[in-house]
Structures are given as structure tokens and as C-alpha cells.
Amino acid sequence: MSGDDPKTLVSTEWLQAHLKDPDLRILDASWYLPDMGRDAKTEYQAAHIPGARFFDIDEISDQRSDLPHMAPPPEKFISRMRAMGVGDGHQVVVYDGAGLFSAARVWWTFRLMGKTDVAVLDGGFPKWQAEGRPTEDMPPVLRDRHITVSRQAHLVKDVTQVAAAAKLGDYEIVDARGAPRFRGEEEEPRKGLRSGHIPNSKNVPFRAVLNGDNTLKGPDDLKKVFAEAGVDLTKPAITTCGSGVTAAILSLAMERIGKRDHALYDGSWAEWGMYGDLKVVTG
């Protein structure tokens, strides 16, 4: 698959051409790790793609969970999207201020809710700005829009399912964290977590699927990246990372190469690394 696909990935050219479409909804899903020293909301208020709404990954989440930004319950997703004027019949395009980082997580969240007319902006806001495309600092005018969701339970895995998969080897568990963290050579950014990885998991650092300008690599290159990491694409896959954000970049990459049987481990290492009774592998 190549080129623009409104269900996975669209280019800045595509978005500019469709900017005035009445049924287009653009979401700024920027989110940064504390060590990045950036404030997503402040940056959004200063400049965003015309008409973009701010999607707060930490707030539009399951706040009953102790784990960071777990997928929101459907009722909460519905109420937040209605208030943002995002609903049925809309084509959604999600971008972030890092290029391609947190936008994929929101793409995955929409898929989890049964909404498939959603794409990530390839190269994100940095590419959009570098090309001199229009931005604004005005909040968009929001009109309530009805939205129906149908949660796709097969797209998400919990710790019990992942533990079973690690033991049985019937899934490929693919970890998007950097190699030093995967191998347990680098401390986890979240305090109190053990270092290492899930038994039988493979490492595909999310940067490996991106080009230098933070656009997603083409399908042939993506297949090569997975193959070189020893990922058997004939098996169903479970993506994982530090807290379920960059795992979604691997989910998007799999979708781009036509692989449909993938799920995301929402708790990711924030959960696995916390429980002493779960096995951890280093090296």
C-alpha cells in the first residue's frame, strides 16, 4: 500500500487539499514525555493547523486506572468527542508536534472505538510548518455532533492475555522502546519499574519504522524492518512500549503493510515492569 489512505496515513498535500471539506475534523494529539520539556497545550494555543481541536491523551483516558493514559471507556470517549464536535460521518486526521509520535495512539483509540475513517498526518506539524502551510492560533468553533461507537475488544490486550501469549508463543510481541531499555541496560523513565522486556518479545524501536523527517517508511521498508527484528508477520501481533503510546506507531506500521491481526498491550511496560511476579528478560 502506498500513498494517501484516509484510514491510515495521509500526506500534508492531501490534508491541504481537503482542509475546507465540511466533514473533515483535525485533531492535534501532541503529547510529550517529561524529559522532552515541551507543553503540548501551550504549543497548540500558539499555533495549530486551521480548525484543529486539541485531543488531550492524558485527560481522554480511563482515569479510574492507576496506569498512565489507558484507553478511555466508550462513554467518556463519546462525551469528549461530542463536545469537540467530532462524530459520525467525519473524516478525522490526527497529527502531533513531534512528527509522528503520539498521533498514532489517537488513531488506534478511534479504531478501538470502531471508527475507521481516521488517518495520521505523515510527518505531523513539523513537516506542515516546514512546508510553509497555513496555521492559526484561534480555537475552532465547536458544534455538538452525534457519535456512535462500537468497541473492538480484539484490538487491545490486558496483562493476563499478554502473559499467556509470552508463554505460548502464539503471538509475536513487538516492543517499541529503544534497544537499551529493551535489553535492560537503561533505567526506565518511570520510577519503580524494573528494567528489561517481556519474555519472547522482539524489539522494533519505533524510530526504526520512521524516516529521518519522522514520516513513516514505505511498506517494503517496513516489512524489512520487521523481518530484521525477527518478527514473524504470519503470526498475530501484540504491540507494546513504555505506556502504550509509541506501541501504536508499530500498530500503524503493521496496518500500512496490510497486516490486520494486531492488538496493543495498553498497560505496556508501565504495568509489566511494576509486578514482581511477571517474568522479565534482560540482554
Side-chain angles (χ1 to χ4, degrees):
M1 185 195 295
S2 64
D4 295 308
D5 171 25
K7 293 184 186 302
T8 53
L9 194 73
V10 294
S11 63
T12 49
E13 289 80 9
W14 185 97
L15 184 56
Q16 176 123 32
H18 290 271
L19 216 44
K20 302 270 190 286
D21 289 10
D23 283 329
L24 179 77
R25 290 293 177 272
I26 305 170
L27 302 178
D28 180 328
S30 302
W31 174 90
Y32 303 108
L33 293 160
D35 64 359
M36 291 175 164
R38 294 177 66 173
D39 183 327
K41 203 169 265 176
T42 305
E43 289 184 23
Y44 163 80
Q45 286 162 350
H48 50 261
I49 295 175
R53 289 107 160 101
F54 185 74
F55 188 108
D56 187 334
I57 286 177
D58 286 325
E59 200 284 319
I60 305 173
S61 69
D62 186 355
Q63 309 227 302
R64 301 164 304 189
S65 171
D66 297 335
L67 294 164
H69 45 251
M70 296 288 279
E75 321 67 74
K76 183 170 187 179
F77 182 80
I78 288 170
S79 74
R80 295 297 184 272
M81 289 311 98
R82 283 192 69 152
M84 283 163 72
V86 178
D88 295 343
H90 282 150
Q91 168 65 49
V92 177
V93 174
V94 195
Y95 73 87
D96 65 57
L100 208 170
F101 183 61
S102 52
R105 168 72 191 191
V106 173
W107 167 84
W108 173 82
T109 304
F110 271 82
R111 305 281 294 223
L112 179 66
M113 300 297 168
K115 310 308 273 183
T116 54
D117 293 327
V118 55
V120 169
L121 178 64
D122 203 14
F125 199 49
K127 187 169 190 283
W128 182 269
Q129 280 185 302
E131 292 166 352
R133 298 183 189 276
T135 63
E136 64 180 19
D137 57 7
M138 297 293 294
V141 178
L142 305 180
R143 289 183 189 85
D144 199 306
R145 175 85 168 230
H146 180 72
I147 184 168
T148 43
V149 311
S150 155
R151 193 172 181 276
Q152 307 295 303
H154 65 280
L155 292 180
V156 66
K157 297 286 181 205
D158 64 24
V159 67
T160 316
Q161 294 168 312
V162 176
K167 197 175 279 178
L168 297 170
D170 52 348
Y171 282 81
E172 284 285 35
I173 302 171
V174 193
D175 191 326
R177 292 175 303 156
R181 283 176 66 189
F182 180 82
R183 292 193 296 258
E185 298 160 5
E186 203 175 84
E187 274 194 26
E188 284 295 307
R190 282 185 181 76
K191 294 202 186 337
L193 296 184
R194 299 170 297 160
S195 296
H197 58 265
I198 299 167
N200 293 321
S201 59
K202 310 275 169 66
N203 189 205
V204 178
F206 77 90
R207 297 211 178 279
V209 302
L210 302 177
N211 297 308
D213 62 352
N214 288 330
T215 51
L216 193 66
K217 287 180 175 174
D220 292 344
D221 287 335
L222 290 175
K223 284 178 191 158
K224 206 176 293 173
V225 170
F226 286 120
E228 283 167 3
V231 176
D232 179 355
L233 290 171
T234 65
K235 282 186 183 179
I238 297 170
T239 61
T240 182
C241 60
S243 65
V245 172
T246 60
I249 300 172
L250 299 187
S251 305
L252 178 66
M254 287 177 183
E255 198 70 24
R256 284 294 279 178
I257 59 176
K259 182 172 177 60
R260 306 275 177 259
D261 53 350
H262 54 85
L264 185 145
Y265 172 25
D266 202 11
S268 281
W269 199 255
E271 180 174 41
W272 193 280
M274 193 167 57
Y275 293 113
D277 53 349
L278 292 169
K279 222 175 139 191
V280 164
V281 180
T282 54

